[in-house]
């Protein structure tokens, strides 16, 4: 499974993914036999019974995997041309998905691959991983049950379609469990709550620290007063942020020299040349960084009070942003911090 922990992380990828996909295809092929059809129902039913009989303190977190597994098993049966078994499975376990009545009703209408592709809700279950956050003890209980009972089908589905985000500490309180059950794709990862998500790829750790505001550490600050280790960690993170911001300000200040002005243009120009001369099979993906970097460099120059260099940079590279002509034209109108704040498009950057 794609499992994230605070101390260690594991992401099964590459060749191992192929092995799991092949295994899943083999399991789905075997659904044609009555034995495997019964096994598919029994494994999920056994998990439901296990969750129901588990300790109350863990039951809430363990139950978080039931709905996404219910959806994935149903979709696997539909895509595996097993409409009868899919209908039986839905009838048996659909009523147990508390708080998901509307989604369960919509899921019942999906009886083919074409219907799945047209579903705004459930097409996401095949292209994205459903996120489940649970404490380490709850996760260990779940894993032990699946392994001890040889629930290969469920283990494969969790590996392929779920992201289990494991944390140290006590299980989540009921308020957080209710929130988890109210979202389409489960919990947001911790990184989603901490990072400023704009467009494209996530920030590098160094740039992320420079952009984080103090209030984004509010969750850690809640416990810092009674936990000296977390307090020190927070202080170190804030100190690193301040130092990096000072470093960025120093770099922006240096733009005033002709040497640094030329370097700003040359670095981006060099990247453009590199992308243009790269192998065709990689060129498309490499080019994805050019537009967001173009925007960020322009905004840094504007916010660094370098209007002349910003204008020159825009004139030189703006025409190279294919498919972004309207955005590039709007970007040119941003010549101050006030104009940036008023821009619906670029204030998000």
């Amino acid at each position: 499974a794609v499992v994230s922990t605070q101390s260690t992380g594991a992401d099964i990828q590459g060749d191992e993914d192929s092995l799991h996909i092949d295994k899943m295809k083999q399991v789905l092929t075997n659904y044609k036999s009555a034995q495997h059809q019964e096994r598919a129902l029994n494994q999920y039913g056994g998990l439901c019974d296990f969750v129901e009989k588990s300790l109350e303190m863990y039951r809430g977190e363990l139950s978080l995997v039931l709905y996404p597994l219910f959806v994935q098993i149903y979709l696997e049966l539909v895509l595996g041309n097993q409409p009868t078994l899919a209908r039986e499975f839905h009838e048996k376990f659909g009523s147990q998905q508390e708080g998901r009545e509307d989604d369960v009703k919509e899921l019942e209408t999906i009886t083919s691959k074409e219907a799945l592709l047209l579903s705004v809700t459930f097409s996401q279950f095949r292209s994205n991983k459903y996120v489940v956050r649970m404490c380490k003890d709850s996760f260990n209980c779940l894993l032990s049950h699946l392994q001890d009972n040889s629930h290969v089908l469920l283990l494969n589905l969790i590996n392929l379609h779920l992201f289990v985000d494991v944390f140290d500490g006590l299980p989540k309180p009921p308020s957080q469990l209710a929130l988890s059950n109210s979202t389409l794709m489960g919990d947001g990862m911790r990184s989603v709550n901490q990072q400023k998500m704009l467009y494209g790829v996530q920030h590098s750790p160094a740039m992320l620290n420079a952009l984080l505001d103090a209030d984004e550490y509010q969750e850690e600050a809640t416990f810092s007063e009674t936990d000296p280790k977390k307090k020190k960690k927070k202080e170190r993170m804030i100190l690193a942020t301040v130092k990096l911001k000072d470093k960025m300000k120093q770099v922006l200040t240096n733009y005033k020299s002709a040497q640094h002005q030329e370097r700003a243009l040359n670095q981006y120009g060099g990247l453009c040349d590199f992308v243009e001369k790269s192998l065709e099979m990689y060129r498309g993906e490499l080019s994805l960084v050019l537009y967001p970097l173009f925007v960020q460099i322009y905004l840094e120059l504007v916010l660094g009070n370098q209007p002349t260099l910003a204008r020159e940079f825009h004139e030189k590279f703006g025409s190279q942003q294919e498919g972004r002509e309207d955005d590039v034209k709007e970007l040119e109108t941003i010549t101050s911090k006030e104009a940036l704040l008023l821009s619906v498009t670029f204030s998000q950057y």
Side-chain angles (χ1 to χ4, degrees):
V2 179
V3 179
S4 169
T5 69
Q6 291 180 339
S7 56
T8 60
D11 192 348
I12 301 176
Q13 298 176 338
D15 295 337
E16 195 166 356
D17 269 345
S18 299
L19 293 175
H20 284 294
I21 293 173
D22 292 339
K23 179 68 175 178
M24 178 57 65
K25 290 179 179 178
Q26 179 183 351
V27 173
L28 288 174
T29 300
N30 290 332
Y31 275 161
K32 294 179 180 180
S33 68
Q35 178 184 1
H36 282 82
Q37 291 177 1
E38 184 178 355
R39 184 177 300 175
L41 295 174
N42 287 343
Q43 286 190 12
Y44 186 80
L47 178 60
C48 292
D49 292 339
F50 166 73
V51 171
E52 183 64 28
K53 297 175 183 178
S54 62
L55 292 176
E56 186 176 358
M57 66 183 299
Y58 302 127
R59 191 179 305 150
E61 288 189 337
L62 291 172
S63 67
L64 295 177
V65 303
L66 295 179
Y67 173 69
L69 284 176
F70 167 76
V71 173
Q72 292 297 346
I73 291 175
Y74 178 85
L75 294 179
E76 292 290 355
L77 294 172
V78 168
L79 297 177
N81 295 319
Q82 300 296 323
T84 302
L85 181 58
R87 186 167 57 253
E88 292 175 0
F89 178 76
H90 190 283
E91 291 174 355
K92 185 171 184 178
F93 297 106
S95 60
Q96 299 180 21
Q97 313 304 319
E98 297 181 2
R100 300 283 191 172
E101 290 78 8
D102 292 340
D103 292 336
V104 170
K105 189 174 181 180
E106 179 184 346
L107 182 64
E108 189 176 13
T109 65
I110 298 176
T111 56
S112 65
K113 182 178 179 180
E114 292 72 24
L116 174 59
L117 294 174
L118 292 174
S119 171
V120 176
T121 301
F122 293 105
S123 59
Q124 297 188 50
F125 276 80
R126 309 301 294 179
S127 57
N128 299 292
K129 289 183 181 290
Y130 189 100
V131 181
V132 174
R133 288 202 70 203
M134 61 174 62
C135 72
K136 188 179 295 184
D137 290 339
S138 296
F139 175 72
N140 289 335
C141 289
L142 173 64
L143 195 59
S144 296
H145 169 76
L146 296 177
Q147 291 178 336
D148 293 346
N149 293 277
S150 300
H151 287 347
V152 178
L153 171 64
L154 299 186
L155 284 169
N156 272 312
L157 288 174
I158 290 173
N159 180 62
L160 290 171
H161 300 295
L162 271 65
F163 184 101
V164 184
D165 189 5
V166 181
F167 61 89
D168 293 319
L170 298 175
K172 293 188 293 187
S175 59
Q176 291 188 20
L177 292 173
L179 181 62
S180 301
N181 282 320
S182 65
T183 58
L184 176 60
M185 295 301 293
D187 292 288
M189 296 182 215
R190 281 168 289 174
S191 58
V192 173
N193 294 327
Q194 293 177 353
Q195 296 187 27
K196 288 190 174 181
M197 298 299 294
L198 306 177
Y199 296 105
V201 185
Q202 296 180 1
H203 294 299
S204 67
M207 185 59 73
L208 172 62
N209 286 335
L211 294 175
L212 285 174
D213 296 321
D215 59 358
E216 290 184 273
Y217 294 102
Q218 184 175 359
E219 183 177 352
E220 289 190 22
T222 304
F223 303 97
S224 64
E225 295 180 0
T226 57
D227 191 334
K229 291 184 179 180
K230 289 188 176 180
K231 183 176 181 180
K232 289 182 179 179
K233 179 182 177 182
K234 177 176 178 287
E235 290 174 348
R236 288 197 300 270
M237 294 174 74
I238 293 177
L239 180 60
T241 301
V242 172
K243 288 183 177 179
L244 191 51
K245 284 184 177 179
D246 290 341
K247 180 68 174 177
M248 293 174 68
K249 288 179 181 178
Q250 180 182 352
V251 172
L252 288 173
T253 301
N254 288 333
Y255 278 160
K256 294 179 180 179
S257 68
Q259 179 184 1
H260 282 82
Q261 291 178 1
E262 185 178 356
R263 185 179 300 175
L265 296 174
N266 288 343
Q267 286 187 8
Y268 185 81
L271 178 61
C272 292
D273 292 340
F274 165 74
V275 171
E276 183 64 28
K277 296 176 182 177
S278 61
L279 292 176
E280 186 175 357
M281 63 185 299
Y282 303 127
R283 191 178 305 149
E285 290 188 336
L286 291 172
S287 66
L288 295 177
V289 303
L290 295 180
Y291 175 71
L293 283 176
F294 167 76
V295 173
Q296 293 295 348
I297 292 175
Y298 178 85
L299 294 179
E300 292 290 356
L301 294 173
V302 169
L303 297 178
N305 296 318
Q306 300 295 323
T308 302
L309 181 58
R311 187 167 55 253
E312 293 176 359
F313 178 77
H314 189 282
E315 292 174 355
K316 184 170 184 178
F317 297 106
S319 59
Q320 299 181 21
Q321 314 305 320
E322 297 181 1
R324 300 280 192 168
E325 289 78 7
D326 292 341
D327 291 337
V328 170
K329 188 175 181 180
E330 178 183 346
L331 182 64
E332 189 176 12
T333 65
I334 299 175
T335 57
S336 65
K337 182 178 180 180
E338 292 72 21
L340 175 59
L341 294 174
L342 293 174
S343 171
V344 177
T345 302
F346 295 104
S347 60
Q348 300 185 58
Y349 278 79

